[in-house]
Amino acid sequence: MSDRTKAPVRPTSLPEPPYYAVVFTSVRIDDDPGEYQRTAEHLSRLVREVPGFLGEDAARTPGGLAISVAYFRDLAGIEQWRDHPAHLAAKRRGRERWYERYAIHIAKVEHAHVFARE
Amino acid sequence: MSDRTKAPVRPTSLPEPPYYAVVFTSVRIDDDPGEYQRTAEHLSRLVREVPGFLGEDAARTPGGLAISVAYFRDLAGIEQWRDHPAHLAAKRRGRERWYERYAIHIAKVEHAHVFARE
């Protein structure tokens, strides 16, 4: 596909379980996509500095649901990211302005399986 | 948004944790989107009959990553769905023809949080 040259190889590579997944499922208002996009890119850089962060995947149906999954080695990394000041500020902004609704699931990955075409 | 009238309200409503999430992250070849789409819709109806199935969410970036999350009450439901003949056939077809790569994560949801605009 044409976007494969610019996009990172996905799904993200991960170690053997157990590890944690934070599943964030959202519907946006799209009131201010520019501010949202800049904040999302900034947070995406910041989260890489959190100890135990393993990677993330994201998808969005145009005009519909978005799902992102961030993987962490343990709950301590998730808690550190949850309490990061820039993340807290973005979440507040998100509830005020960007999101129609969202759900967050914090889950312990027990089994994983990958397939890649030869 | 214009599609809200026809789309079901999402993210899907779920009970209190614990429950299980099956996170399926994939990149398609898009060799035969019609056959893929018909199979996906068929499976989406079948999975609703599996005991303990709680709901599912899905998103796909055009030409890029797709993420679907299916929620189950327990591992028994996940195993029943894993071994369903129509699902087994679709997975085989997927590896032969539809997917460039994919990852499956089976995870126990320990915490969940939802937000909905007033």
Side-chain angles (χ1 to χ4, degrees), chain A residues 111-115, chain B residues 95 102-105:
Chain A
H111 306 283
H113 173 70
V114 298
F115 165 80
Chain B
R95 286 190 297 270
Y102 65 68
I104 299 169
H105 295 90

Side-chain angles (χ1 to χ4, degrees), chain A residues 64-87:
Chain A
L65 202 68
I67 303 178
S68 71
V69 189
Y71 301 95
F72 291 85
R73 185 81 266 178
D74 51 36
L75 280 175
I78 293 173
E79 287 165 5
Q80 185 173 329
W81 178 236
R82 179 195 65 196
D83 298 336
H84 189 295
H87 193 198

Side-chain angles (χ1 to χ4, degrees), chain B residues 26-41:
Chain B
S26 61
V27 176
R28 288 219 303 274
I29 294 173
D30 262 343
D31 187 49
D32 185 349
E35 186 200 17
Y36 172 86
Q37 196 58 42
R38 285 190 298 278
T39 306
E41 288 166 10

Side-chain angles (χ1 to χ4, degrees), chain B residues 48-108:
Chain B
R48 287 168 210 286
E49 297 165 17
V50 174
F53 175 75
L54 300 174
E56 61 181 333
D57 289 317
R60 184 176 186 229
T61 301
L65 202 69
I67 302 178
S68 70
V69 189
Y71 302 95
F72 291 85
R73 186 79 268 177
D74 51 36
L75 280 176
I78 293 174
E79 287 164 6
Q80 184 173 332
W81 179 234
R82 179 194 66 194
D83 298 335
H84 190 293
H87 192 198
L88 287 172
K91 285 190 279 194
R92 202 161 44 236
R93 189 72 173 145
R95 286 190 297 270
E96 284 169 3
R97 184 145 185 185
W98 297 324
Y99 294 114
E100 181 65 35
R101 45 180 66 233
Y102 65 68
I104 299 169
H105 295 90
I106 297 175
K108 185 177 188 177

Side-chain angles (χ1 to χ4, degrees), chain A residues 1 3-4 9-12 14 19-21 23 25-30 57-69 71 75 93-118, chain B residues 1 3-4 9-12 14 19-21 23 25-30 57-69 71 75 93-118:
Chain A
M1 287 182 291
D3 62 331
R4 286 241 301 286
V9 176
R10 298 289 176 85
T12 194
L14 291 162
Y19 48 84
Y20 277 82
V23 180
T25 308
S26 61
V27 176
R28 289 218 304 274
I29 295 174
D30 261 343
D57 289 316
R60 185 178 187 228
T61 301
L65 202 68
I67 303 178
S68 71
V69 189
Y71 301 95
L75 280 175
R93 189 72 172 146
R95 286 189 298 270
E96 284 170 3
R97 185 146 184 184
W98 297 325
Y99 293 114
E100 183 66 33
R101 46 180 65 232
Y102 64 69
I104 299 170
H105 295 90
I106 297 174
K108 185 177 189 177
V109 176
E110 299 178 352
H111 306 283
H113 173 70
V114 298
F115 165 80
R117 189 163 297 278
E118 291 298 305
Chain B
M1 290 180 288
D3 60 332
R4 285 241 299 288
V9 176
R10 298 289 175 86
T12 194
L14 292 162
Y19 47 84
Y20 278 81
V23 180
T25 309
S26 61
V27 176
R28 288 219 303 274
I29 294 173
D30 262 343
D57 289 317
R60 184 176 186 229
T61 301
L65 202 69
I67 302 178
S68 70
V69 189
Y71 302 95
L75 280 176
R93 189 72 173 145
R95 286 190 297 270
E96 284 169 3
R97 184 145 185 185
W98 297 324
Y99 294 114
E100 181 65 35
R101 45 180 66 233
Y102 65 68
I104 299 169
H105 295 90
I106 297 175
K108 185 177 188 177
V109 176
E110 298 178 352
H111 307 284
H113 174 69
V114 298
F115 165 79
R117 189 162 297 279
E118 291 299 307

